[in-house]
Amino acid sequence: MKIFVLRRRHLMVLAGALLAAAIFWVVNLPAAVAASASERQLPIYCVDRDDKLVSISFDAAWGNEDTQQLIDILAKYNVKATFFVVGEWVDKYPESVKALHDAGHEVMNHSADHAHYNSLSTEEIIADVNECNDKIEAVTGVRPTLIRCPYGEYDDHVIAAIRSIGMEPIQWDVDSLDWKELPASDITKRVTGKVTSGSICLFHNAAIHTPEALPAILEYLQGNGYTVVPISQIILNCDYYMDHAGKQCPAES
């Protein structure tokens, strides 16, 4: 009988401990989840602005068929854009890189050879970013401060690696999908239907119908009171926080 009572007491003590642990977990789980979410590393997709600024960006990784045409169209509308270029593209087309810079456009980093950053170590990412920066700086005299990850791929370690060397990773909230060879009218409709203050729009050089779509997009933006600026001029330099969707927001005073 004594043995039975002792065992029952042990079981009751164990059950009480398990209950206490369960209550602790339930009470503290929301805080733990919130803390985990707040630590997630995100690039800048767009910016919380009320001054009707937007940015147009182009990724240049392979072809070079229409770079000068894009420069000419942007000049016609007095618009400066941001071009994210791959290091290998710089090697192949240094004259185009210089032409972009001389026209007043930002020439920023899109990796050395368009690798999948998620599969690289922190050290490999940093080396890759610096390799591309070196090539751009050699042509333009200006070292990039922004980068768009190849394929738009990233995870926490990728973003942390990029920010550890003072670079800012940039995504987009308006995707033209011009690389799918959509008709110019569809590209225009996609962009004008999604753009808002603080948007960052994604295009590609060498996309077949982008030069055809670009004038109508720029006319829409300017006709609706938007000012198109390079990305370095749309992102915030004051204290900020990133919301869950990657919007850069000014910190509350």
Side-chain angles (χ1 to χ4, degrees):
M1 176 65 78
K2 288 182 179 180
I3 294 174
F4 174 75
V5 171
L6 287 174
R7 285 181 177 175
R8 190 167 73 172
R9 285 179 180 174
H10 288 159
L11 288 173
M12 290 177 65
V13 169
L14 178 60
L18 290 174
L19 179 61
I23 292 173
F24 178 84
W25 177 255
V26 170
V27 170
N28 288 279
L29 180 60
V33 170
S36 175
S38 67
E39 292 169 2
R40 185 183 176 202
Q41 298 287 322
L42 290 173
I44 297 174
Y45 281 77
C46 58
V47 185
D48 182 14
R49 304 194 69 111
D50 56 10
D51 49 7
K52 300 204 80 170
L53 292 185
V54 299
S55 288
I56 286 179
S57 63
F58 298 85
D59 289 358
W62 292 284
N64 192 37
E65 295 83 355
D66 60 6
T67 304
Q68 187 57 51
Q69 188 178 4
L70 294 173
I71 292 173
D72 294 340
I73 293 170
L74 293 167
K76 178 181 177 181
Y77 292 91
N78 194 29
V79 164
K80 307 302 181 189
T82 301
F83 285 76
F84 292 96
V85 303
V86 169
E88 290 183 345
W89 195 85
V90 178
D91 292 336
K92 290 180 181 178
Y93 310 111
E95 71 286 347
S96 291
V97 175
K98 188 175 187 305
L100 288 168
H101 173 72
D102 290 348
H105 301 295
E106 291 185 334
V107 182
M108 295 295 179
N109 192 314
H110 194 34
S111 80
D113 58 8
H114 217 265
H116 291 276
Y117 273 8
N118 288 15
S119 66
L120 301 182
S121 68
T122 295
E123 293 74 18
E124 289 171 330
I125 293 167
I126 291 171
D128 186 277
V129 173
N130 280 324
E131 180 182 342
C132 184
N133 280 347
D134 291 343
K135 292 180 178 182
I136 293 171
E137 186 176 19
V139 175
T140 67
V142 179
R143 195 165 187 83
T145 57
L146 308 177
I147 180 172
R148 176 165 287 152
C149 295
Y151 309 101
E153 293 177 350
Y154 65 89
D155 58 20
D156 284 359
H157 101 282
V158 171
I159 302 305
I162 290 169
R163 288 191 170 129
S164 75
I165 56 172
M167 300 279 289
E168 192 61 52
I170 304 295
Q171 291 285 95
W172 60 86
D173 67 320
V174 179
D175 189 348
S176 68
L177 293 182
D178 57 353
W179 60 274
K180 288 188 172 184
E181 299 186 5
L182 298 177
S185 59
D186 288 358
I187 294 172
T188 301
K189 187 181 299 182
R190 280 190 58 84
V191 175
T192 58
K194 294 176 179 294
V195 72
T196 188
S197 296
S199 281
I200 296 173
C201 305
L202 170 65
F203 297 89
H204 298 78
N205 84 313
I208 293 176
H209 299 296
T210 299
E212 182 185 351
L214 192 55
I217 292 169
L218 295 176
E219 288 169 10
Y220 170 87
L221 292 172
Q222 293 179 339
N224 284 273
Y226 289 100
T227 300
V228 183
V229 298
I231 292 175
S232 67
Q233 296 180 27
I234 201 172
I235 60 178
L236 303 174
N237 295 316
C238 59
D239 290 340
Y240 70 88
Y241 68 93
M242 302 290 292
D243 77 1
H244 69 282
K247 177 183 284 188
Q248 187 190 35
C249 305
E252 297 179 2
S253 54

